[in-house]
Amino acid sequence: MEFKAIPSPCFVLEEQLLVRNLELMEFVQKEAGISIIVALKGFAFYDSFPLVAKYLKGGTASSLNEAKLVYKKLKSKPHTYCATYVPSEFKQLLKCSSHLTFNSLSQWNTWSKQALKSKKCKHFGLRVNPGYSEIETALYDPASEQSRLGIPRNKFGDQLPEGINGLHFHALCENNSFTLEKVLDSFSALYDPFIKQVEWVNMGGGHLMTKEGYDILHLIQVLKAFKEKYPNLKEIILEPGSAVGWQTGVLKSTVLDIVDNGGKTTAMLDVSFTCHMPDCLEMPYKPKVRVGEQENGKYKYTFGWIRAVWQEILWMDFLLVKN
Ligand SMILES: Cc1ncc(COP(=O)(O)O)c(C=O)c1O
């Protein structure tokens, strides 16, 4: 399709680039003998899910609607982790999920009776704080002492609660395999007796294995070493989101007006940071702007938004065309 024919605004995904990422992930799965599932938090481009399903082993959901999307579009049962389960949704999640993970012992105590009666879902896990991360933005650091995400070691107790057969941590954010290795050292040091008792470990997301320069062979080596250390584990799961869609496309936008007030020139766009690139406000990321025909960048504009159109959450390059 010619670029000009693509509507604006539009998230444009290039299929061959996605396939390239998926092939690499498939290689990791096969070589390391692990499962990779897509995290909808980081990649929710559901029209591409039939393609994703050919390479990855399903998806992870953090809400009922995400769980339904995994079921419908990836044609598999989601691994579900919600920081807290909403009473009106729990029954449905239990029915459609293959794995359910709980963020605290109180959440497990609340739902365990109902969960253990289920004939459909048999994999129940606890999210733990692995005690190490290299995430500098405090808001996103799930391994800090005060983190609300995951049970810290001193609250875990000495016994694995009855009915729990898996452990989960998520402590990476666009990190490499060397950081994963350090997280695993800390996770093993803190939870070793429990890892020996469970059947599965989910190592969360943040594994940016499709980024140029990522040492894939080292990742495979780290995963294999963990498997050898814990031969009791039937399944090791990674759930990256960003790595799936990493550099697979652009967000096309159009300059609809130029406003020059008080010495400040603002290009008025048909996209907004709030709706199309929320991570640019929270994290904050800075989009790479590719200015269509004006590639050599003579523009010096502030970008202003006009209207909110979509709510798709996806991080991508930002491609701007002159109206
Ligand atoms: C529990 C969990 N799993 C997976 C992910 C996906 O992370 P990423 O998109 O960085 O790979 C996230 C992101 O916040 C998460 O919180």
Side-chain angles (χ1 to χ4, degrees):
M1 189 188 219
E2 214 188 307
F3 183 73
K4 280 203 172 128
I6 297 171
S8 178
C10 187
F11 286 105
V12 185
L13 181 88
E14 288 188 46
E15 201 174 283
Q16 326 74 297
L17 298 179
L18 179 64
V19 167
R20 195 183 61 183
N21 285 353
L22 293 169
E23 281 175 352
L24 186 133
M25 291 175 150
E26 191 184 37
F27 174 75
V28 173
Q29 284 188 130
K30 284 197 175 138
E31 288 299 308
I34 54 118
S35 302
I36 300 184
I37 59 177
V38 56
L40 270 65
K41 276 197 221 83
F43 186 78
F45 226 107
Y46 50 81
D47 277 343
S48 73
F49 280 3
L51 179 65
V52 174
K54 289 187 184 159
Y55 296 85
L56 305 185
K57 301 256 160 75
T60 178
S62 51
S63 70
L64 181 58
N65 283 333
E66 281 189 359
K68 286 181 181 169
L69 207 51
V70 171
Y71 195 68
K72 205 167 152 191
K73 297 280 183 175
L74 282 165
K75 305 257 183 274
S76 62
K77 289 187 151 200
H79 292 230
T80 304
Y81 158 74
C82 297
T84 50
Y85 287 100
V86 180
S88 58
E89 295 180 353
F90 188 76
K91 206 170 155 190
Q92 269 178 287
L93 282 172
L94 189 58
K95 214 168 153 187
C96 76
S97 303
S98 72
H99 294 60
L100 271 190
T101 299
F102 298 82
N103 185 57
S104 64
L105 289 171
S106 49
Q107 274 286 292
W108 173 242
N109 291 336
T110 303
W111 299 112
S112 56
K113 213 166 158 199
Q114 200 174 330
L116 293 170
K117 276 194 209 145
S118 171
K119 290 201 171 63
K120 306 229 172 198
C121 183
K122 297 282 174 201
H123 299 100
F124 301 111
L126 291 175
R127 175 168 173 170
V128 296
N129 182 333
Y132 181 84
S133 77
E134 293 180 6
I135 299 171
E136 277 158 21
T137 312
L139 178 68
Y140 291 105
D141 182 6
S144 77
E145 232 176 271
Q146 292 174 340
S147 172
R148 67 205 177 282
L149 301 171
I151 307 160
R153 178 64 190 91
N154 61 358
K155 290 271 177 68
F156 199 88
D158 296 326
Q159 269 189 328
L160 196 66
E162 214 185 311
I164 291 295
N165 50 28
L167 291 175
H168 165 54
F169 68 77
H170 169 75
L172 301 181
C173 182
E174 295 184 10
N175 289 125
N176 61 28
S177 54
F178 296 91
T179 308
L180 172 65
E181 195 171 26
K182 288 184 219 152
V183 173
L184 286 178
D185 284 347
S186 174
F187 173 59
S188 296
L190 293 173
Y191 299 95
D192 181 76
F194 310 113
I195 305 172
K196 285 182 175 139
Q197 291 172 55
V198 294
E199 292 174 6
W200 55 276
V201 164
N202 178 327
M203 300 181 183
H207 314 266
L208 202 47
M209 61 186 88
T210 47
K211 187 180 178 180
E212 209 184 327
Y214 189 105
D215 191 338
I216 290 291
L217 297 181
H218 180 254
L219 172 67
I220 292 168
Q221 189 190 312
V222 168
L223 292 169
K224 278 183 161 172
F226 191 81
K227 272 183 84 171
E228 271 165 34
K229 188 168 174 186
Y230 298 105
N232 55 299
L233 292 177
K234 291 188 186 147
E235 197 179 18
I236 293 178
I237 304 142
L238 304 190
E239 47 172 42
S242 328
V244 179
W246 186 253
Q247 297 194 333
T248 53
V250 294
L251 167 59
K252 177 179 172 179
S253 171
T254 303
V255 179
L256 295 176
D257 193 13
I258 303 222
V259 176
D260 200 344
N261 289 333
K264 183 173 168 180
T265 312
T266 306
M268 304 295 278
L269 310 177
D270 57 356
V271 293
S272 84
F273 282 90
T274 326
C275 282
H276 299 87
M277 298 165 280
D279 278 358
C280 294
L281 299 174
E282 281 183 17
M283 188 61 180
Y285 288 114
K286 199 167 179 189
K288 202 160 78 188
V289 181
R290 291 197 221 155
V291 185
E293 300 115 45
Q294 303 285 319
E295 200 74 71
N296 292 331
K298 292 234 168 68
Y299 296 128
K300 285 235 162 35
Y301 298 136
T302 300
F303 297 130
W305 62 277
I306 296 175
R307 64 199 159 104
V309 192
W310 283 24
Q311 291 206 350
E312 187 94 57
I313 297 176
L314 203 69
W315 162 243
M316 285 193 158
D317 280 354
F318 187 50
L319 199 145
L320 196 64
V321 287
K322 205 165 162 262
N323 202 11

